């Protein structure tokens, strides 16, 4: 373990660790400078303080403080200098706080969130971000900025489907791509092909008159394509 570690625990926790490796339970392992907690079949809990680290499968999270609750420590709540990665899914993150449901594999990151999708070359910052590991769907809120190669996308709210490289922007959405700029009520972006579809109150400009490959828009008043936005 890293440095000197101290444990403060109830009798229930003593019995639990007598039957399992120290700082490990099933498919979860954890360490910290100090720990308090209790264990039971339904309501196990542990509070980790100082250099806290939890490993659950390929998912690793580190923070100043962390709380594990629920059966088999299902829920992880981290605060203070939160950072980590998922080696299998290919992303890393940092935030002020985090909540993670290990059973549903659903995480929520709070406050100055930075999410790096290293597998797809996508960088995201937001005030709040949720990630569903099963569907590989990322929901972003508050001052959203997503960047890939020469493209920058901003909005108040966005949905990023990693498996399809599909991005949906709402709330004053804006896309800038190699000098071309687009605004609309709703913007859809294929991050692989750079195909952009604009819906409602379309506006835009193109630096060289070419721009990205724009998709046809089929629904919504005052809608159009990226090419039409520049005209």
């Amino acid at each position: 373990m890293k440095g000197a570690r101290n444990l403060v625990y109830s009798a229930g926790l003593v019995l639990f660790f007598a039957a399992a490796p120290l700082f490990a339970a099933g498919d979860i392992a954890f360490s910290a400078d100090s720990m308090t907690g209790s264990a039971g079949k339904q309501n196990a809990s542990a509070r980790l303080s100082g250099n806290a680290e939890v490993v659950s499968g390929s998912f690793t999270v580190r923070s100043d403080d962390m709380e594990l609750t629920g059966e088999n420590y299902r829920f992880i709540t981290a605060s203070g200098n939160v950072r980590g990665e998922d080696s299998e899914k290919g992303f890393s993150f940092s935030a002020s706080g985090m909540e993670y449901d290990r059973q549903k594999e659903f995480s929520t990151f709070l406050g100055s969130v930075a999410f790096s999708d290293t597998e797809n070359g996508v960088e995201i910052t937001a005030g709040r971000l949720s990630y569903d590991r099963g569907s590989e769907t990322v929901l972003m809120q508050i001052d959203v900025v997503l960047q890939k190669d020469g493209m920058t996308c901003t909005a108040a709210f966005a949905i990023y489907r990693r498996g399809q490289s599909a991005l949906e922007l709402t709330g004053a959405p804006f896309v800038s791509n190699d000098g071309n700029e687009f605004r609309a009520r709703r913007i859809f972006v294929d991050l692989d092909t750079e195909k952009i579809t604009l819906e409602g109150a379309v506006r835009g400009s193109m630096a060289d008159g070419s721009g990205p490959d724009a998709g046809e828009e089929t629904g919504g008043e005052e809608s159009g394509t990226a090419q039409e936005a520049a005209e």
Side-chain angles (χ1 to χ4, degrees), residues 23-42:
F23 290 76
D27 60 349
I28 185 172
F30 45 90
S31 63
D33 291 338
S34 63
M35 182 180 79
T36 60
S38 61
K41 290 184 178 180
Q42 300 297 325

Side-chain angles (χ1 to χ4, degrees), residues 61 176 195 205:
V61 58
S176 174
K195 179 178 179 179
S205 62

Side-chain angles (χ1 to χ4, degrees), residues 15-213:
L15 294 175
F16 177 82
F17 281 118
L22 188 62
F23 290 76
D27 60 349
I28 185 172
F30 45 90
S31 63
D33 291 338
S34 63
M35 182 180 79
T36 60
S38 61
K41 290 184 178 180
Q42 300 297 325
N43 295 304
S45 66
R47 181 174 293 277
L48 312 176
S49 301
N51 298 306
E53 178 177 285
V54 169
V55 179
S56 177
S58 64
F59 185 85
T60 300
V61 58
R62 307 171 191 87
S63 68
D64 296 336
D65 297 285
M66 213 173 303
E67 186 175 10
L68 314 180
T69 57
E71 185 176 2
N72 194 29
Y73 303 110
R74 173 180 172 177
F75 302 104
I76 301 172
T77 303
S79 61
N81 194 29
V82 177
R83 67 274 184 206
E85 64 278 333
D86 190 317
S87 58
E88 180 181 339
K89 291 297 185 178
F91 68 84
S92 61
F93 58 86
S94 65
S96 299
M98 186 205 76
E99 298 173 354
Y100 181 51
D101 184 331
R102 297 199 310 122
Q103 181 173 308
K104 292 184 177 180
E105 295 188 308
F106 188 89
S107 51
T108 299
F109 304 95
L110 307 167
S112 302
V113 182
F115 185 94
S116 180
D117 181 357
T118 52
E119 186 172 272
N120 297 299
V122 172
E123 300 291 335
I124 299 169
T125 60
R128 179 187 177 96
L129 183 149
S130 298
Y131 177 64
D132 186 327
R133 193 175 188 272
S135 65
E136 294 199 74
T137 300
V138 183
L139 283 75
M140 299 154 276
Q141 301 176 34
I142 309 170
D143 298 327
V144 176
V145 179
L146 182 147
Q147 296 178 305
K148 181 179 181 181
D149 301 326
M151 180 180 290
T152 299
C153 306
T154 66
F157 181 82
I159 302 174
Y160 169 41
R161 295 176 175 83
R162 295 182 70 207
Q164 295 78 42
S165 291
L167 176 67
E168 177 182 346
L169 304 164
T170 55
F174 170 77
V175 175
S176 174
N177 186 25
D178 294 331
N180 307 310
E181 298 183 350
F182 307 99
R183 301 178 189 273
R185 290 201 185 101
R186 188 184 302 267
I187 301 179
F188 301 88
V189 183
D190 186 319
L191 295 171
D192 283 342
T193 65
E194 299 185 0
K195 179 178 179 179
I196 299 172
T197 302
L198 310 172
E199 179 182 291
V202 175
R203 292 180 293 138
S205 62
M206 294 187 182
D208 57 8
S210 58
D213 179 19

